[in-house]
Amino acid sequence: MRVRTKYISFRVSNIEKRAITMAAQECGLGTSEFARRASLNMKVTLRFSPEELEVYNNLHTYHRNFTAIGNLVRSKHFNKNETILRELEEVIKLIKIHLGKFEQ
């Protein structure tokens, strides 16, 4: 890690300061680290609340399970039903879209 010895300051309104402070807290960062990362186009990610983490984990499990079901339906041991396949593919696609929102 580089030693940081230089200072940069900038003026913000009260509302901007509150917004920056809240955004930094949501990311689990101090305001300086948050501003540094944001200004250097570094990844600034929000941390999940326990509820959001549980939803993400459930979605991930559902995605894995529906993919497995889809693979089973496509196998030669299963009497293929195109309607089931289309619905499974749609559910898998929707779950993947929502998982992508969490990963951004």
Side-chain angles (χ1 to χ4, degrees), residues 26 47-58 102:
E26 287 178 8
R47 294 210 174 149
F48 293 139
S49 69
E51 294 84 14
E52 291 170 327
L53 188 56
E54 182 179 351
V55 168
Y56 174 81
N57 288 331
N58 286 338
F102 276 100

Side-chain angles (χ1 to χ4, degrees), residues 1-65:
M1 183 173 177
R2 296 182 184 141
V3 177
R4 296 182 174 119
T5 60
K6 304 298 178 194
Y7 288 89
I8 295 176
S9 63
F10 55 96
R11 294 183 183 280
V12 294
S13 68
N14 284 334
I15 293 173
E16 291 170 330
K17 182 174 191 257
R18 277 189 249 145
I20 292 169
T21 301
M22 287 174 54
Q25 287 173 347
E26 287 178 8
C27 294
L29 301 171
T31 53
S32 294
E33 183 63 22
F34 178 81
R36 183 181 306 106
R37 288 184 185 189
S39 65
L40 295 174
N41 292 322
M42 297 171 76
K43 190 171 186 174
V44 179
T45 56
L46 296 176
R47 294 210 174 149
F48 293 139
S49 69
E51 294 84 14
E52 291 170 327
L53 188 56
E54 182 179 351
V55 168
Y56 174 81
N57 288 331
N58 286 338
L59 274 177
H60 196 332
T61 300
Y62 296 155
H63 182 265
R64 206 173 46 244
N65 291 343

Side-chain angles (χ1 to χ4, degrees), residues 84-99:
I84 292 174
L85 276 174
R86 280 194 303 274
E87 288 181 14
L88 277 173
E89 288 170 355
E90 182 66 23
V91 169
I92 291 168
K93 185 175 90 176
L94 288 171
I95 291 173
K96 194 166 191 158
I97 288 168
H98 288 291
L99 284 171

